[in-house]
Amino acid sequence: MLGQYLPLLALFVLAAAFAAGSFIASGLLAPRDPSAAKRAAYECGIVPTRETPERFPVRFFLVAMIFIVFDIEIIFFYPYAVAYGGLGVFGLVVIMVFSFAVFESFVYLIGNGALEWGPLKQVAGPAGAVSVQRTTGTTVRRVGLEDRGYAEGVGTEDADDTDEEAA
Amino acid sequence: MILAADPLYGGDLLGDILITLLKAGVAFTFLLVAVMLMIWFERKLISDMQNRIGPNIAGPWGIFQTLADGIKLFFKEDLVPENADRFVFKLAPYLALVPAFLVFAIVPLGGDFNRKDGSDGVVSIFGHDTFLQVADPPMGILFFLAMSSIAIYGIMLAGWGSGSKYPLLGAVRASAQMISYEAALGLAIAAVVLQTGSLSTHDMVIDQAAGGYGGIIPNWNIVVTGFVPFFVFFIAGTAELNRPPFDLVEAEQELVGGFHTEYSSIRFALFFLAEFMNTITMSAIMVLLFLGGPAGPALFFPEGWWIGTFWFFLKLMAFLFTFVWFRATLPRFRYDQLMDLGWKVLIPISLAWFLLLAGLRLGDDRDWTYNETLAFMVGCIITFALLGGLLIGAINTARAERVREEADRG
């Protein structure tokens, strides 16, 4: 029975050897010309001025912990899935009670905001600040038209009286 | 409960070892070539969908483009950032690549499953009877889940070991996404295991090769488990692979290169290779779990193991095409939409469906009457609807609470 795992070991050795061989080949073929700019952390050209923060939002940690709970639940489903025949109706009721217990804790987590990721709904801003109506005057700004023979003010809000009258 | 095992082991030791090495070597080579062709296929297909030509210079139809890119990457300078944790930085590509190879070992690749006399799928290599899959451990499909989890380690450590905040954020987001969808993946697989009664991948193919409904609809698990586990697995699998539309972790506008920002030359190539290898193996697993794997009618072929291989490749190509199609057509999910989908939609749905299926399978085994089955189903549906309402209530409560907090603060 243990022999079934021998091919996995063989494939593991092959894959690890491939990766190691690639690194060795790269070590032989690649140039080595380190400079300070190359070794610095990449931030789209901005030179990092502060120490690298090694922190990340705690929401990710919560997700990982919640995943552990659910993974344990799923682990219990697998033996049941293989042996459901022998366990009969009793087993079915037990597994349903078990999943209800885990589901109930899941509902509690969600209700407490552990899995809240989204942006809040945008509350309407102060009245009059942004016009709901979109005109070419508010969304399109033409530049550089002065020397093309157009009258000044084309494309600005003053020129688009017709749209607002029709609204 | 353990029905079938690879009949290779038990005979002479030397022959077994040699056949094992042969199978592993062939699978390894095949997988590397398949990844090369998959990358080419994706580039060509996307360019076709975008009305351009794509790679066409390196070899006929640009087939050697991937090889050229890989060889070019060998010659690039290999930089290790100064803040990097050197050991972790160098370990991460191994952790991403090796599981990608290993998952392929449990996938049945061929064999004649039409014989139905107990020797289904058995081929004879140099006189030794064996299956056309690299390994058939008794816990087959659990191995797949285990390897996907280790691949997450690769990504997480890559981001951490880079010593820079963008890779760290990218890696944390990627791993949070992957573990969220792994729960849904596990539940969909549990539904299939319920149907098969065994974890071994060979048994899954045998179960699906049996006669179907009226001889027309095959006994594939996509039909037998209802279509829900298939769709859940498909969506969760796409998210697990970080493929579009769930590829926020690789979105250039967001996080530069995400977890592999600081990786150059061959280290980056190994991550890239691992991602496409995972795509191929996830498609293969989907074919195995839901579409019957290598099982298929003989049609006009003469008897032999190539029937299985032909059907397997046909089904695999359908899924690979669909993945590339997603990339070409669908816009990206936002991160919170992605996490909400994984936790609040897929997990409850697959959990409810698993319990429903468990009851129905048990009823089928114990020969419940029609009324009993109907009563059970109605009871389930009502209970699940109530619990679903509870869940929606909880979601709304949480959101209202946050809005109130923001309003109080602002």
Side-chain angles (χ1 to χ4, degrees):
Chain A
M1 188 50 70
L2 226 50
Q4 302 287 337
Y5 295 92
L6 198 61
L8 294 175
L9 182 66
L11 199 55
F12 171 79
V13 168
L14 273 175
F18 171 71
S22 307
F23 288 139
I24 294 175
S26 168
L28 293 172
L29 294 169
R32 215 159 287 124
D33 189 16
S35 72
K38 284 193 220 173
R39 275 184 287 119
Y42 182 70
E43 282 189 31
C44 300
I46 304 172
V47 178
T49 50
R50 283 183 275 187
E51 265 297 308
T52 317
E54 284 175 345
R55 298 152 69 180
F56 48 85
V58 75
R59 272 179 299 200
F60 297 106
F61 182 65
L62 276 178
V63 166
M65 284 204 299
I66 296 172
F67 167 71
I68 292 179
V69 172
F70 267 84
D71 212 29
I72 302 292
E73 176 194 5
I74 293 170
I75 286 176
F76 280 115
F77 280 157
Y78 276 88
Y80 176 76
V82 175
Y84 69 93
L87 294 169
V89 179
F90 173 71
L92 182 66
V93 170
V94 165
I95 202 84
M96 287 206 168
V97 170
F98 171 67
S99 21
F100 172 71
V102 180
F103 185 75
E104 176 238 335
S105 66
F106 180 58
V107 166
Y108 173 74
L109 281 170
I110 288 188
N112 263 306
L115 289 174
E116 265 300 303
W117 285 88
L120 303 169
K121 286 274 186 300
Q122 288 290 345
V123 188
V130 175
S131 150
V132 173
Q133 174 116 41
R134 289 174 66 166
T135 66
T136 47
T138 55
T139 56
V140 175
R141 185 173 144 260
R142 298 190 176 91
V143 294
L145 292 174
E146 298 78 48
D147 49 346
R148 286 195 198 181
Y150 285 101
E152 244 197 34
V154 163
T156 61
E157 230 168 284
D158 315 308
D160 278 317
D161 294 320
T162 45
D163 289 338
E164 279 146 40
E165 277 171 33
Chain B
M1 273 291 135
I2 301 172
L3 302 172
D6 199 325
L8 181 60
Y9 302 99
D12 62 312
L13 192 61
L14 182 65
D16 291 350
I17 291 184
L18 287 178
I19 300 282
T20 303
L21 287 176
L22 176 71
K23 283 205 287 186
V26 166
F28 172 78
T29 316
F30 167 76
L31 200 53
L32 277 179
V33 172
V35 169
M36 211 178 84
L37 290 176
M38 170 68 190
I39 298 178
W40 167 81
F41 175 68
E42 165 158 340
R43 288 173 75 167
K44 269 302 209 188
L45 192 62
I46 286 186
S47 44
D48 197 30
M49 289 183 181
Q50 293 172 345
N51 224 0
R52 55 187 174 91
I53 299 182
N56 63 344
I57 299 200
W61 301 294
I63 275 197
F64 297 128
Q65 181 68 43
T66 319
L67 194 60
D69 285 335
I71 294 178
K72 167 206 71 170
L73 279 173
F74 272 114
F75 291 94
K76 295 277 183 180
E77 182 174 353
D78 190 8
L79 302 163
V80 178
E82 55 187 347
N83 281 333
D85 186 333
R86 298 188 79 91
F87 174 65
V88 170
F89 188 80
K90 294 184 180 179
L91 179 67
Y94 285 96
L95 285 177
L97 188 69
V98 171
F101 271 110
L102 283 178
V103 176
F104 199 68
I106 57 164
V107 175
L109 292 171
D112 186 6
F113 284 90
N114 294 325
R115 276 184 251 152
K116 299 200 198 333
D117 58 353
S119 71
D120 289 14
V122 174
V123 298
S124 178
I125 304 181
F126 298 117
H128 290 82
D129 281 343
T130 181
F131 294 150
L132 257 186
Q133 58 190 92
V134 178
D136 186 30
M139 47 61 158
I141 209 66
L142 278 186
F143 187 71
F144 158 68
L145 284 174
M147 289 297 117
S148 328
S149 303
I150 296 187
I152 302 178
Y153 266 112
I155 292 183
M156 186 69 226
L157 291 179
W160 173 262
S162 294
S164 153
K165 66 174 184 268
Y166 289 116
L168 178 64
L169 279 176
V172 161
R173 279 161 72 142
S175 44
Q177 170 187 331
M178 289 168 89
I179 61 178
S180 308
Y181 284 89
E182 216 169 281
L185 216 67
L187 281 170
I189 295 180
V192 170
V193 171
L194 195 69
Q195 163 64 25
T196 312
S198 149
L199 292 166
S200 153
T201 50
H202 188 253
D203 290 344
M204 285 179 185
V205 181
I206 297 232
D207 183 59
Q208 293 178 80
Y213 302 106
I216 305 177
I217 306 177
N219 200 32
W220 291 350
N221 281 336
I222 179 178
V223 175
V224 176
T225 56
F227 289 86
V228 172
F230 170 68
F231 284 119
V232 168
F233 191 95
F234 200 11
I235 297 174
T238 315
E240 184 81 15
L241 295 170
N242 295 331
R243 290 283 305 188
F246 299 102
D247 67 339
L248 198 74
V249 292
E250 303 171 344
E252 279 143 27
Q253 299 86 345
E254 299 262 337
L255 291 162
V256 194
F259 61 91
H260 53 67
T261 310
E262 298 286 354
Y263 281 81
S264 52
S265 95
I266 202 62
R267 300 185 205 277
F268 167 72
L270 290 181
F271 276 115
F272 198 60
L273 225 65
E275 180 186 331
F276 278 90
M277 218 172 286
N278 276 323
T279 307
I280 296 180
T281 45
M282 182 71 78
S283 309
I285 296 281
M286 262 194 277
V287 167
L288 159 71
L289 285 176
F290 292 102
L291 256 59
L299 289 186
F300 43 82
F301 289 118
E303 287 271 322
W305 55 267
W306 40 81
I307 302 176
T309 314
F310 167 73
W311 282 112
F312 178 78
F313 275 104
L314 203 62
K315 300 168 191 174
L316 187 70
M317 284 311 299
F319 277 109
L320 293 179
F321 180 86
T322 313
F323 275 131
V324 181
W325 198 4
F326 282 172
R327 179 174 225 137
T329 46
L330 296 178
R332 231 168 243 143
F333 268 77
R334 215 172 56 213
Y335 195 68
D336 61 295
Q337 292 171 335
L338 199 154
M339 297 299 268
D340 281 348
L341 181 69
W343 284 106
K344 298 171 188 168
V345 176
L346 289 185
I347 290 185
I349 287 181
S350 45
L351 185 61
W353 199 263
F354 172 77
L355 293 173
L356 190 68
L357 275 184
L360 289 178
R361 286 286 299 170
L362 192 67
D364 199 37
D365 273 359
R366 297 297 166 95
D367 292 322
W368 289 354
T369 65
Y370 178 74
N371 286 335
E372 282 177 350
T373 316
L374 191 65
F376 170 77
M377 271 188 72
V378 168
C380 263
I381 291 175
I382 294 179
T383 321
F384 294 152
L386 288 173
L387 291 175
L390 193 65
L391 183 68
I392 295 176
I395 295 174
N396 290 336
T397 311
R399 189 149 301 155
E401 183 65 37
R402 264 187 78 196
V403 170
R404 202 167 347 123
E405 259 180 38
E406 280 295 314
D408 283 347
R409 205 184 309 163

